[in-house]
């Protein structure tokens, strides 16, 4: 596994899809999601959000209409100005932040009223004097602060202690990165759930997408194909950093065909089974030219056709995709 780190900065393109939505629970809203975007000191307005950025968590409450400050009597209103940072000394985030303001008092069902919501970078809220819970979400990172406002202007800064990762995989040294059609990543926390399983943080992440996470150690699983090609690694997310992580998948793709003679036409309506040398079933398929992505190793390939069962031992070498012929001949035929 190779990993490089760089300061996260605003750039067009890239982001995470499929971030978890907001879900009402007693007392609070769940974290939202958004792309990792930083405005370096002295930069202008943030560029448009990249398409691959983690999408914002959708609001589960109705749109909240706020009175313009000019229409509210000075004694009855305050302006709360909020900024978010990845680290205490980092620059304010210029985009990708979800802000939600909740009333301090709980309702009969234990939830709190959503008073206001903003998406973007820094945010200003016109509020009546009193206490509020301010949720700040950034990708899979989020925190809630309790703030009391009086009259006039109050400024607050939220430190998320978060960073980002961008994942990729290769099948060997000096080989190009694998494409996203057959590759995805799952990210798990170090702690386990009530069933003793690792807690899932982000699932089905495409290669090259930026995932925003609280700064800590995670376990990443690279899924190559849908058979047995899996690679795992522990990664560290650094606060204020965007880290590029590349995993190595020891696997390759094989395409099978049943033929009467070497180089002959593939026989249609063939059912396939791929087994380990110990006899454990790995995967199955149907067709004249099925393809399977398999972890490096030796396998027994069995072709089932109306003329009988035929087999061949196949060796899979990492990164070496291959076409494999199984001969429908007597010496390859299985007997009961």
């Amino acid at each position: 596994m190779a990993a490089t780190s760089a300061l996260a900065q605003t750039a067009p393109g890239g982001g995470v899809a499929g971030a978890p939505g907001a879900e009402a629970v007693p007392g609070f809203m769940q974290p939202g999601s958004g792309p990792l975007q930083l405005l370096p000191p002295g930069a202008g307005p943030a560029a448009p959000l990249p398409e691959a950025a983690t999408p914002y968590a959708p609001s589960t409450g109705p749109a909240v209409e706020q009175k313009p400050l000019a229409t509210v009597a000075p004694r009855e209103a305050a302006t709360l100005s909020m900024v978010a940072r990845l680290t205490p000394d980092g620059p304010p985030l210029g985009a990708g932040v979800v802000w939600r303001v909740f009333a301090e008092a709980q309702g009969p069902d234990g939830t709190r009223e959503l008073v206001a919501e903003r998406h973007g970078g820094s945010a200003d809220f016109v509020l009546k004097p009193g206490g509020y819970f301010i949720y700040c979400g950034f990708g899979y990172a989020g925190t809630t602060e309790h703030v009391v406002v009086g009259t006039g202007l109050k400024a607050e800064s939220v430190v998320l202690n978060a960073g980002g990762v961008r994942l990729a995989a290769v099948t060997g040294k000096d080989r190009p990165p694998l494409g996203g059609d057959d590759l995805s990543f799952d990210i798990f926390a170090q702690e386990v759930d009530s069933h003793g399983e690792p807690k899932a943080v982000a699932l089905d992440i495409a290669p090259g997408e930026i995932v925003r996470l609280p700064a800590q150690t995670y376990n990443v699983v690279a899924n190559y194909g849908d058979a047995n090609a899996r690679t795992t690694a522990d990664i560290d997310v650094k606060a204020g950093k965007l880290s590029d992580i590349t995993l190595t998948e020891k696997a390759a793709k094989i395409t099978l065909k049943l033929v009467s003679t070497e180089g002959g036409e593939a026989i249609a309506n063939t059912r396939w089974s791929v087994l380990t040398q110990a006899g454990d079933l790995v995967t199955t398929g149907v067709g004249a030219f099925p393809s399977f992505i398999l972890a490096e190793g030796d396998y027994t390939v069995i072709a089932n056709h109306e003329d009988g069962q035929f087999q061949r031992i196949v060796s899979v070498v990492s990164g070496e995709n291959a076409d494999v012929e199984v001969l429908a001949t007597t010496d390859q035929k299985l007997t009961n």
Side-chain angles (χ1 to χ4, degrees):
M1 180 181 73
T4 58
S5 298
L7 285 175
Q9 298 190 359
T10 300
V16 173
E23 183 176 318
V25 297
F28 296 96
M29 297 292 288
Q30 293 296 318
S33 60
L36 180 65
Q37 296 286 338
L38 292 181
L39 287 178
L49 293 181
E51 292 180 359
T54 303
Y56 299 131
S59 171
T60 58
V64 178
E65 181 179 356
Q66 294 193 58
K67 292 183 178 181
L69 183 59
T71 67
V72 182
R75 295 180 182 179
E76 299 176 357
T79 299
L80 176 63
S81 182
M82 301 294 301
V83 298
R85 307 174 192 273
L86 294 180
T87 60
D89 57 351
L93 291 170
V97 182
V98 177
W99 297 98
R100 294 193 179 105
V101 180
F102 296 93
E104 189 174 45
Q106 288 184 321
D109 59 353
T111 63
R112 291 182 167 88
E113 178 189 1
L114 176 63
V115 176
E117 180 172 357
R118 297 284 187 276
H119 292 181
S122 302
D124 292 335
F125 300 97
V126 177
L127 303 169
K128 294 180 180 180
Y132 298 89
F133 286 100
I134 313 296
Y135 170 75
C136 176
F138 189 60
Y140 293 92
T143 187
T144 300
E145 303 282 344
H146 181 250
V147 176
V148 177
V149 297
T151 58
L153 175 65
K154 184 179 180 69
E156 293 284 341
S157 179
V158 174
V159 177
L160 290 161
N161 190 35
V165 293
R166 185 164 45 201
L167 301 167
V170 296
T171 55
K173 185 179 180 182
D174 299 326
R175 293 187 181 274
L178 295 171
D181 292 341
D182 297 312
L183 179 66
S184 66
F185 299 90
D186 297 328
I187 302 176
F188 298 90
Q190 293 291 294
E191 62 267 23
V192 297
D193 58 22
S194 59
H195 302 288
E197 298 293 333
K199 289 184 178 180
V201 176
L203 302 178
D204 199 24
I205 302 299
E209 292 185 353
I210 296 174
V211 187
R212 289 87 182 169
L213 297 163
Q216 61 188 60
T217 301
Y218 299 88
N219 180 258
V220 172
V221 179
N223 307 292
Y224 186 32
D226 55 7
N228 65 343
R230 303 285 184 271
T231 299
T232 65
D234 289 337
I235 64 170
D236 290 322
V237 174
K238 306 293 186 182
K241 304 285 186 179
L242 172 61
S243 299
D244 286 299
I245 310 293
T246 300
L247 284 71
T248 299
E249 284 276 14
K250 293 290 187 179
K253 179 184 290 187
I254 62 170
T255 301
L256 306 175
K257 65 177 181 175
L258 179 65
V259 296
S260 299
T261 60
E262 291 187 7
E265 290 288 331
I267 299 174
N269 301 319
T270 302
R271 292 177 289 111
W272 298 89
S273 300
V274 179
L275 292 77
T276 66
Q277 290 299 280
D280 297 323
L281 180 65
V282 176
T283 188
T284 61
V286 178
F289 299 96
S291 292
F292 305 102
I293 296 174
L294 302 172
E296 191 173 61
D298 295 331
Y299 299 89
T300 299
V301 173
I302 299 176
N304 292 272
H305 192 261
E306 58 188 17
D307 293 331
Q309 288 186 327
F310 307 90
Q311 71 171 356
R312 177 178 173 178
I313 304 300
V314 175
S315 293
V316 175
V317 179
S318 181
E320 296 185 8
N321 299 337
D323 295 330
V324 176
E325 292 183 343
V326 177
L327 292 176
T329 57
T330 303
D331 58 339
Q332 300 294 331
K333 190 172 185 178
L334 293 173
T335 57
N336 295 330

